[in-house]
Amino acid sequence: MTLNAVTTKSIDVVIVDDEKFVRGALRTYLSQATDVSVVAEGENGAQAVRLAHEHHPDVMLIDIQMPVMDGIAAIRRIVAELPEVRILVVTGHISDVYLKSALIAGASGYVVKDAKPERIVAAVREVHAGECPIDPGVTHLLVADVRKSLPATRQRSAIELSEREEDVLKLLCEGQSNSEIASALHLSESTVKYHLVRLGRKFSARDRLQIVITALRTGVIA
């Protein structure tokens, strides 16, 4: 009896950016991953909507400022018409306005174009897995926005954190990446990830962004 090898379907990706050079760079990054396949490319929001319907990709990489139709409008259309398609914003804009607009429109993640290639590939995988990767460089923008909406005095949550968990959480709220947190606290990255998993469970949060927001809203972090 011959056993057939089990094959894992690759993550089908569509790249949409009005700059040819950027599309080429992203395609090169993703081509290094054996579990990712770029199936199409576009240069504006209108093409993004069309390509989403034509290819039904697992993940779309979409810029924000583009001609014909901007990325936010395209994201809104795609999410409404094809909710199963996950969208990762890849942009050069570090702006709380763009970040909030993208998330409200339905984007599943937000990274900047100058992120390391391996970070962009990891973000694609995370979005595909149902997570919400937010570039550490823009996390602090959300933190500042949440803080502005909070009352001057809050009753501290009853959630109990260890001293190490508090250290990790504080650095997370500053927008630091796992490697930066590991370096600051003299820990391994795997240990940092372990603490993040524990924090996620305690706050009933599925990703680092929800951990930060919940920690601020519940008063765990000032």
Side-chain angles (χ1 to χ4, degrees), residues 100-146:
K100 288 188 292 183
S101 296
L103 294 177
I104 291 172
S108 300
Y110 190 105
V111 296
V112 293
K113 291 179 180 178
D114 60 0
K116 293 181 179 180
E118 57 267 27
R119 178 61 205 131
I120 293 177
V121 174
V124 168
R125 292 179 177 133
E126 290 166 11
V127 163
H128 181 248
E131 299 179 18
C132 182
I134 303 294
D135 193 285
V138 295
T139 301
H140 71 281
L141 297 175
L142 280 178
V143 171
D145 187 65
V146 171

Side-chain angles (χ1 to χ4, degrees), residues 156-182:
R156 184 180 172 87
S157 169
I159 296 174
E160 294 291 335
L161 301 181
S162 68
E163 183 177 348
R164 182 59 78 195
E165 287 170 345
E166 287 189 357
D167 292 338
V168 171
L169 182 57
K170 287 175 182 176
L171 295 176
L172 184 66
C173 287
E174 292 175 6
Q176 296 196 27
S177 65
N178 288 1
S179 61
E180 290 171 333
I181 294 173

Side-chain angles (χ1 to χ4, degrees), residues 163 182 195 212:
E163 183 177 348
H195 287 302
V212 170

